[in-house]
Amino acid sequence: MRIGILGPFEVVQDGAVTTPSAPKLRTVLALLAVNANSTVPTQQLIDELWGSRPPESATTTLQTYIYQLRKQHGLYSEAGKVPALCTAANGYQLALPADALDSAQFTQLVERGRGLVQAGEQAAASAVLRDALALWRGTALEDAGSGAALQAAGVWLAEMRKSVTELRVDLDLQLGRHYELVGELTSLVAHDPTYEGFQASLMLALYRCGRRSDALQVYHRARQALASELGLSPSRRLQELHGAVLAADPALDLSTPEQETVVRAHGSAAPNLLPPSSGELVERADALVSAEQSVLAAPSAPRPVLVVVGAPGSGKSAFGVEVARQLTEAYPDGQFYAKLIQPDNAPVTPADVLGGFLREIGVTESRIPDSPADRHRMFREWASGRRILFVLDDVSTMDQVRAVVPDGGSHLVIAVSRRRLSDPSIVATVALSPLSTDGALRMIGDAVGRAKLDANRDSLRRLVELCDGLPLAIRQAIALLQLRPHWSVRRLVRHLKSGLTVAHQSADIAGLLDSVRRTHRLMRREAREAFQRLVQAPQPLSVPGAAALMHVADGTAELLLEELVEFQLAEVDEPGLVDTDDFHYRFRRALSDVAVDLARDGAAPRPRTELDRIGYVDLGLQPA
């Protein structure tokens, strides 16, 4: 059972709303919940239900209400049972666990936030207090009853909410979040125009945003509201703040350089670093919907991760960016993008990524720390309490995600990877399949025109087969036809069949070769050698067949084949309805041709890294 009193009175059991429909039953249960785990005297319950004029049968009727509540909600007072509605010597007690009542959770979070304030951890305190205030759904104890005790409890909770909100606003002002506060404070002032704490905070936020005239207007409206509604003049605090704004007193500015570093330099607009859209994604509509639903339906987590994987050239990056665009409204405080591999295939360090993020939120170059840990701390302070979306492209390990994306906020990470990843924070993995023949032809038709598509349909079908439905390979083929309009589709197909891959047709086209090369360099030397040796073999390929070609044991061959599957360079034939471990493996034709180019380029093995050593442990192999 979960009971909500921070808004309309609500009871939820086993996922279903079971709030009593009878007003007096709601009143009894609400008063017991407000005083959870304490005895509520019978006379107090009677006074709450009937005021100063209770019926003669009040005690008997109250006993009937208690019986009905026990029956409807299973609150029998058995030994050790919680929740339970127990009878005491002079009243009744509702026994609840600490997490069953939203007001108890609110109080716990507020105490924790105030402890963080005393410890000097303003950013963390602000985040905790935000979580506490997020528990509120409206006016406390709405629809619970109009008795004196519940009214007093509602007033006390409302005042506590206001006090906590003012504390959190003060913390955010200390952290330089005045741009983000203006809208919220404007709403708070409109709802409660005589509360001078919110008026003062709004004046200060507007002043720090460079809107001094607007800050003075707030003071004049506050003075008018206080005079007309309460017959009062502004407090000394508000008058002194008004004078300081008139004088542009430097004391109103942020007090330390450290606080200035977390002020956003571009007004209140949230940073959006997502690359431009690449246009419509063919045959990806269902996958986009599935990815969006997986994220939105995932249990609340501090840093959920959506992984996008697929073969080289399958359109992983474009898909990841498009998912981010679909979810922008759910993460309004910023959308960040970073590619973790440079064009020359060298890795991008977390310090470089964080440095770029800090520049985008307005931190000047002179204030960006040198050490990665200090950069991470500074970015975490800014991100705390915000809802931010990160797209990280070419992720190799989850450690890269943790080194860049801070905790302490409701952030989402879309990790685009060349290999499957495993981590408790991953809420879903989207594996992109190649395009169907019809989808690929639609993609070609959109580029070359319907007339050329109809005139060359058979040759284009053969072209799609040679490209294995990989969007990148198809786009390269389309680009080549556009660069060489004198070529027929049939001529391009002949060149592809002869082994002259699209990647080598034009130096101007960034292609599949580069994508496979990046994947190739992430793998261990043994797996790279296995790829180059097995990719040209007759297919499908069995484990014993691969073992014979590589002159290794069956177990070693299987481990290497599975590593190639993990890196999306090989596929496993569907075993059908028969439950079997006798897998067969395939390599796509486009990747087979690229393997020839890799050998021709003499793709040099990279130096061994920590990733290599981890890979050996995972696979049960020993480094050569």
Side-chain angles (χ1 to χ4, degrees):
M1 169 184 279
R2 296 184 63 84
I3 298 180
I5 65 175
L6 302 181
F9 183 64
E10 182 180 67
V11 182
V12 178
Q13 286 180 290
D14 299 324
V17 177
T18 59
T19 309
S21 57
K24 291 195 181 300
L25 282 180
R26 285 203 304 273
T27 297
V28 172
L29 187 54
L31 188 55
L32 291 168
V34 168
N35 297 278
N37 301 312
S38 298
T39 299
V40 180
T42 300
Q43 189 58 50
Q44 185 179 4
L45 287 164
I46 291 174
D47 291 344
E48 193 72 13
L49 288 168
W50 294 287
S52 60
R53 301 181 64 182
E56 293 183 1
S57 60
T59 301
T60 303
T61 303
L62 176 59
Q63 290 172 348
T64 302
Y65 292 156
I66 296 296
Y67 168 78
Q68 290 176 346
L69 289 173
R70 284 173 174 160
K71 183 178 179 180
Q72 290 178 12
H73 301 284
L75 297 173
Y76 300 106
S77 53
E78 301 169 0
K81 183 177 183 291
V82 177
L85 180 46
C86 309
T87 302
N90 62 338
Y92 300 93
Q93 180 185 113
L94 180 62
L96 288 176
D99 60 350
L101 188 64
D102 58 359
S103 61
Q105 292 178 284
F106 174 72
T107 302
Q108 290 174 354
L109 287 170
V110 169
E111 290 176 354
R112 179 183 166 200
R114 286 174 173 160
L116 290 168
V117 172
Q118 292 177 355
E121 300 182 29
Q122 286 93 339
S126 172
V128 170
L129 294 179
R130 279 181 184 273
D131 290 342
L133 292 165
L135 295 171
W136 283 76
R137 297 170 289 109
T139 303
L141 293 165
E142 190 175 346
D143 299 331
S146 57
L150 287 179
Q151 282 189 340
V155 170
W156 178 81
L157 286 168
E159 289 300 316
M160 189 173 181
R161 178 188 191 183
K162 191 182 298 183
S163 172
V164 172
T165 302
E166 187 173 8
L167 174 58
R168 199 222 78 224
V169 166
D170 286 345
L171 290 170
D172 286 346
L173 284 170
Q174 293 175 37
L175 293 165
R177 296 173 180 169
H178 37 269
Y179 286 106
E180 292 85 346
L181 286 171
V182 168
E184 178 187 3
L185 285 169
T186 300
S187 177
L188 289 170
V189 165
H191 183 264
D192 195 350
T194 61
Y195 191 76
E196 294 180 80
F198 293 149
Q199 299 278 14
S201 295
L202 179 56
M203 288 179 64
L204 182 57
L206 287 168
Y207 177 83
R208 288 182 177 175
C209 290
R211 298 167 59 182
R212 186 161 61 144
S213 62
D214 290 336
L216 295 172
Q217 287 289 338
V218 171
Y219 176 79
H220 291 307
R221 287 194 295 268
R223 184 175 62 182
Q224 290 171 358
L226 288 165
S228 62
E229 296 188 27
L230 303 177
L232 298 174
S233 298
S235 66
R236 182 175 177 180
R237 174 193 176 194
L238 210 57
Q239 292 181 40
E240 290 178 349
L241 179 59
H242 175 242
V245 171
L246 282 172
D249 190 338
L252 297 181
D253 297 329
L254 287 170
S255 58
T256 67
E258 288 75 14
Q259 290 169 328
E260 292 175 9
T261 62
V262 295
V263 180
R264 186 177 295 157
H266 307 295
S268 59
N272 186 337
L273 309 186
L274 297 179
S277 174
S278 58
E280 181 185 3
L281 301 181
V282 177
E283 287 191 337
R284 300 302 191 213
D286 290 344
L288 282 169
V289 171
S290 176
E292 183 176 356
Q293 290 177 344
S294 297
V295 170
L296 297 179
S300 137
R303 188 173 45 197
V305 178
L306 172 72
V307 176
V308 180
V309 297
S314 60
K316 301 182 293 297
S317 298
F319 181 86
V321 170
E322 188 59 31
V323 173
R325 293 186 181 281
Q326 299 290 331
L327 293 169
T328 296
E329 290 186 4
Y331 295 88
D333 296 322
Q335 300 85 44
F336 291 83
Y337 175 88
K339 196 169 183 64
L340 303 186
I341 293 182
Q342 299 179 29
D344 62 357
N345 296 325
V348 179
T349 67
D352 288 341
V353 174
L354 289 167
F357 289 171
L358 290 171
R359 293 181 191 95
E360 288 298 327
I361 63 173
V363 181
T364 59
E365 195 71 36
S366 62
R367 297 200 183 280
I368 296 177
D370 292 331
S371 78
D374 287 341
R375 292 185 179 192
H376 191 278
R377 176 192 55 77
M378 180 179 288
F379 188 59
R380 184 179 67 241
E381 289 178 359
W382 177 84
S384 178
R386 288 176 164 86
R387 293 182 61 83
I388 303 173
L389 191 154
F390 296 84
V391 179
L392 301 181
D393 204 350
D394 266 320
V395 174
S396 299
T397 70
M398 287 301 297
D399 285 341
Q400 291 178 295
V401 174
R402 285 184 280 269
V404 169
V405 180
D407 51 16
S410 299
H411 312 318
L412 169 68
V413 181
I414 300 176
V416 179
S417 180
R418 297 176 180 276
R419 63 186 301 188
R420 284 188 173 270
L421 302 173
S422 176
D423 193 82
S425 62
I426 296 175
V427 297
T429 296
V430 178
L432 295 182
S433 58
L435 302 181
S436 68
T437 301
D438 289 342
L441 289 175
R442 175 187 160 195
M443 181 178 174
I444 294 172
D446 290 343
V448 304
R450 185 76 187 182
K452 191 165 187 176
L453 175 64
D454 291 340
N456 297 275
R457 190 170 290 273
D458 290 341
S459 295
L460 287 173
R461 283 184 176 275
R462 182 58 183 147
L463 176 63
V464 170
E465 292 176 7
L466 293 172
C467 293
D468 276 320
L470 295 175
L472 178 57
I474 294 169
R475 281 199 299 271
Q476 290 179 244
I478 293 170
L480 195 56
L481 287 174
Q482 293 172 334
L483 286 172
R484 300 178 183 177
H486 57 285
W487 273 32
S488 66
V489 179
R490 187 175 301 173
R491 177 169 183 177
L492 177 58
V493 169
R494 285 202 307 270
H495 278 255
L496 290 175
K497 290 176 66 175
S498 66
L500 297 174
T501 66
V502 178
H504 271 291
Q505 294 294 332
S506 172
D508 297 328
I509 305 173
L512 191 59
L513 177 61
D514 287 338
S515 182
V516 176
R517 183 184 286 115
R518 291 191 184 102
T519 302
H520 201 251
R521 292 187 178 182
L522 288 174
M523 299 187 300
R524 299 177 305 109
R525 185 189 64 197
E526 288 80 0
R528 294 197 297 272
E529 293 173 352
F531 173 66
Q532 298 224 5
R533 181 168 297 186
L534 299 178
V535 73
Q536 303 293 338
Q539 297 178 40
L541 189 63
S542 67
V543 170
L549 287 170
M550 293 187 292
H551 307 291
V552 297
D554 286 3
T556 300
E558 182 177 9
L559 289 171
L560 291 169
L561 285 166
E562 290 295 335
E563 186 172 353
L564 296 178
V565 172
E566 176 188 338
F567 278 95
Q568 309 296 305
L569 291 179
E571 297 177 327
V572 181
D573 271 1
E574 290 293 334
L577 298 177
V578 180
D579 185 9
T580 178
D581 289 334
D582 186 19
F583 300 121
H584 287 73
Y585 301 81
R586 289 183 181 274
F587 297 88
R588 293 193 169 275
R589 166 63 189 268
L591 300 186
S592 302
D593 290 341
V594 167
V596 176
D597 295 314
L598 287 172
R600 185 182 297 134
D601 289 349
R606 59 181 173 82
R608 293 198 183 278
T609 66
E610 183 63 25
L611 183 61
D612 284 316
R613 290 188 285 274
I614 294 172
Y616 281 114
V617 173
D618 291 343
L619 293 172
L621 300 175
Q622 294 297 320

